[in-house]
Amino acid sequence: MNTDKLHTPSAHKQWNESFYFNWFDKKQKICCFTRIGLTPNTDQKNMFLFFMLPNGKKLGIRKNTPLKTLPENDKLLLTVNDLQFINKTNEIEWNLQYNGSVLDPYQPKNPPVNLQFDLDFSGLHSIFNYRDCPLSKIQKDLSKNVASEHLEQFGKITGTLTVADNTYKITALGERDHSWGVRNWTAPKRWVWLTCQFNDEFAFNITKLTVAQGDIDAGFIYINGENHPIKNVTIDTAYSKHHEPLLFNLKMTTISDKSFNVKASVMDKIHVPFENGKTKSMMYENLAKYTYQNTTGYGIAEYLIKQ
């Protein structure tokens, strides 16, 4: 089955199909997260691209443009402005390209910086479908406003990145997410989406969605060559006085009742605001360091919190 394709939208105005990638190069101390989203019922496509660089420097860009026509599913090519995601091998390989300018998101009046990359993502395991988690019908119905269909895969990212006059050879681990459905960024009370790669053979991804009626947990742990679906996640988060996540402990329980207790701390972050009319949410896209027993990993800890 090929899941690297576009899906037929519903009639809802906020129906969206999203392709997202993140990665962290431990040696270069560079983290990136990027997304292309298609909203065919409003004739729009959008992108964001952000970098957390050494010494606390941040760079990024967000753009919205008319969609006009949907891409062809045969060797899917997604493009918004100067950003391209190219499907090379279904469910295994993607190429990511950018050649343009970016800004300091906290000092947008500073001069733009030229940035270019040519990166390959190679999946390290079979794609995981959140539908493989034991969600009740009520939980599935509750998740319908935040892209109810989610596919996840961690992998290796290699290639080159040039920021201004500095060129880096990138060797990193990261995650890709393909989701579709109605997406209202301000609908949930809280959305926590965590990714972590300890090494090529040990990684996890979890989601904990909090709405007025309760929580929805989903995700997987990949270990010993297999995806293990999650049935329950508890997250204990310590926040700053500005309500930003600083530290968190999580306990993940698989459908086979095996538990994993992980500690994490935020190393860096970028704020990404979202608005829907008068409703606002803030997405804290955090680079986190994770510890399980004596093993250390890194990944994105995404907290979307209604303001």
Side-chain angles (χ1 to χ4, degrees), residues 229-274:
I230 295 294
K231 70 175 183 180
N232 179 261
V233 180
T234 59
I235 306 174
D236 181 17
T237 304
Y239 294 91
S240 73
K241 63 180 181 180
H242 302 296
H243 309 293
E244 299 176 343
L246 296 175
L247 305 166
F248 54 95
N249 296 329
L250 59 147
K251 180 180 180 180
M252 301 172 285
T253 304
T254 68
I255 58 174
S256 59
D257 288 322
K258 183 173 177 57
S259 293
F260 294 78
N261 295 288
V262 177
K263 295 183 177 182
S265 59
V266 172
M267 300 168 60
D268 205 348
K269 68 171 66 69
I270 287 180
H271 303 75
V272 184
F274 291 95

Side-chain angles (χ1 to χ4, degrees), residues 93-207:
E93 292 181 302
W94 285 76
N95 176 251
L96 316 178
Q97 296 183 24
Y98 185 79
N99 189 355
S101 61
V102 289
L103 296 169
D104 181 336
Y106 300 99
Q107 300 289 337
K109 293 184 179 181
N110 286 355
V113 176
N114 292 327
L115 187 144
Q116 184 272 336
F117 60 73
D118 189 339
L119 302 168
D120 290 318
F121 174 97
S122 298
L124 292 173
H125 70 127
S126 58
I127 287 174
F128 183 79
N129 190 332
Y130 277 6
R131 292 283 183 180
D132 292 336
C133 295
L135 299 179
S136 67
K137 183 180 184 303
I138 292 175
Q139 289 174 317
K140 291 176 182 178
D141 289 342
L142 292 177
S143 69
K144 285 184 177 179
N145 281 332
V146 282
S148 57
E149 306 298 329
H150 267 267
L151 305 175
E152 301 287 339
Q153 185 179 43
F154 83 95
K156 189 173 185 177
I157 296 87
T158 56
T160 58
L161 163 70
T162 299
V163 183
D165 296 326
N166 300 309
T167 298
Y168 306 90
K169 183 178 180 181
I170 299 299
T171 302
L173 294 175
E175 180 93 4
R176 77 175 181 105
D177 170 288
H178 178 192
S179 60
W180 61 97
V182 177
R183 183 182 291 270
N184 180 355
W185 291 96
T186 62
K189 179 180 178 181
R190 188 180 76 159
W191 155 282
V192 180
W193 181 81
L194 306 178
T195 71
C196 172
Q197 301 85 42
F198 293 102
N199 52 52
D200 291 7
E201 299 176 348
F202 183 20
F204 69 81
N205 163 267
I206 68 101
T207 288

Side-chain angles (χ1 to χ4, degrees), residues 43-84:
D43 189 35
Q44 290 288 306
K45 58 182 178 179
N46 53 73
M47 61 82 83
F48 60 64
L49 169 67
F50 289 99
F51 282 86
M52 291 176 259
L53 299 167
N55 303 318
K57 188 174 183 179
K58 314 289 195 307
L59 293 171
I61 189 170
R62 298 175 76 178
K63 288 286 185 180
N64 290 279
T65 61
L67 176 58
K68 296 183 179 178
T69 59
L70 286 168
E72 297 291 333
N73 269 323
D74 185 31
K75 295 298 180 184
L76 193 59
L77 168 62
L78 304 164
T79 178
V80 179
N81 290 65
D82 302 310
L83 179 66
Q84 287 191 339

